[in-house]
Amino acid sequence: MSQTLDVQNICVSYGMVEAVRNVSFRVPKGSIAAIVGANGAGKSTILNALSGLRNLTGGRVCLGERDISHLPPHERVPMGLAQVPEGRRLFGRMTVAENLEIGLFGRPDGGRDRAVLDKVFDLFPRLRERAGQMAGTLSGGEQQMVAIGRAIVADPQVLLLDEPTMGLSPLLAETVLQTISAINATGVTVLLVEQNVYRALEISNHAFVLETGEIVLDGPASALMHDPRVRAAYLGQ
Ligand code: ATP
């Protein structure tokens, strides 16, 4: 199942500071979109507002036709919106399997179908071997796989990913990005914040450039890849 994510004029403030101002975009169902921007531009703030971890001070967020702006995060997950947060946020003293099982609670069926864990192990065979290992003792790349896996078991229609390759070797980063493409190929709509702007644009259909809380450029990812402003600011060319 897939769903369109529709973001309309959202604003988010931290006290007096407006970190996100009047941001609007659409991620059509089944597509991948990337948010590109410098440190502090407001990328994580947008993802956290979409998942409900941050309150909006204006605007609205719709999943398909439904306005989800005022739902708490735990009610957005069973509706099909899952987030892989920055920094993974695993339970280090629980096993890989237990961390993945937490994602089952986000399923509309209330987590009865443990067979979906196999879907994650097919995606990341390395996790099958390590199902009984404490998550805190995994390598950074393996932890990222668990964080993505935990979101996948919730059976999302829209997946939000915040810097999924942060701290990974180039090889593992590539594995993670290819897995994100593979997840998208199953029909899941993806919104990606990614430090490797070149690869992010390569795997995305659409992209938005964010500067100090506002979208300043937006278009097909292939067009942004050739835009002189993007090349100068984010691709070092
Ligand atoms: P990075 O790429 O460095 O992760 P980002 O684009 O994700 O950056 P955000 O983390 O969304 O940026 O931050 C946007 C702005 O909001 C920054 O100026 C940041 O200092 C500010 N900010 C973020 N979180 C908070 C907070 N909890 N309290 C106050 N200000 C915050």
Side-chain angles (χ1 to χ4, degrees):
M1 270 273 277
S2 191
Q3 201 62 268
T4 295
L5 179 66
D6 197 1
V7 178
Q8 301 168 9
N9 295 310
I10 61 165
C11 302
V12 184
S13 296
Y14 296 108
M16 298 297 285
V17 180
E18 201 167 43
V20 170
R21 279 190 301 277
N22 269 319
V23 164
S24 299
F25 59 86
R26 258 179 121 241
V27 189
K29 62 178 170 186
S31 66
I32 304 191
I35 305 179
V36 171
N39 292 126
K43 305 179 296 295
S44 299
T45 302
I46 290 178
L47 293 196
N48 290 338
L50 301 182
S51 63
L53 295 174
R54 280 272 155 210
N55 288 332
L56 298 176
T57 47
R60 50 188 218 142
V61 177
C62 296
L63 199 56
E65 298 298 310
R66 280 195 70 173
D67 184 343
I68 59 167
S69 312
H70 302 292
L71 296 181
H74 67 271
E75 286 182 26
R76 298 187 196 201
V77 182
M79 291 184 61
L81 187 69
Q83 183 182 23
V84 180
E86 189 173 13
R88 297 155 201 153
R89 311 242 178 114
L90 300 182
F91 294 94
R93 299 181 73 172
M94 288 167 64
T95 66
V96 167
E98 286 165 347
N99 270 277
L100 293 175
E101 282 163 9
I102 288 167
L104 290 173
F105 292 109
R107 292 175 63 85
D109 60 13
R112 283 187 294 277
D113 187 5
R114 292 170 57 96
V116 288
L117 292 194
D118 276 329
K119 200 166 111 184
V120 175
F121 293 144
D122 290 344
L123 216 49
F124 297 114
R126 198 188 295 210
L127 296 186
R128 181 174 273 124
E129 298 159 21
R130 291 167 194 274
Q133 186 173 330
M134 293 294 155
T137 65
L138 296 174
S139 74
E142 290 161 353
Q143 291 191 20
Q144 191 62 54
M145 293 174 198
V146 177
I148 295 173
R150 184 178 54 187
I152 292 303
V153 296
D155 204 14
Q157 299 172 24
V158 176
L159 185 60
L160 312 173
L161 295 134
D162 197 351
E163 309 266 16
T165 70
M166 174 108 78
L168 303 190
S169 69
L171 199 66
L172 262 179
E174 189 50 35
T175 306
V176 164
L177 289 172
Q178 284 178 10
T179 306
I180 292 166
S181 284
I183 292 166
N184 169 251
T186 67
V188 178
T189 309
V190 174
L191 179 60
L192 175 66
V193 170
E194 169 57 40
Q195 55 189 343
N196 183 338
V197 173
Y198 187 80
R199 284 295 287 132
L201 293 178
E202 250 181 359
I203 67 168
S204 295
N205 305 106
H206 211 87
F208 318 97
V209 178
L210 195 70
E211 278 177 15
T212 53
E214 287 176 300
I215 291 184
V216 293
L217 262 179
D218 136 32
S222 54
L224 290 197
M225 184 125 56
H226 297 106
D227 187 292
R229 291 164 290 181
V230 173
R231 293 179 80 88
Y234 302 104
L235 298 173
Q237 292 169 347

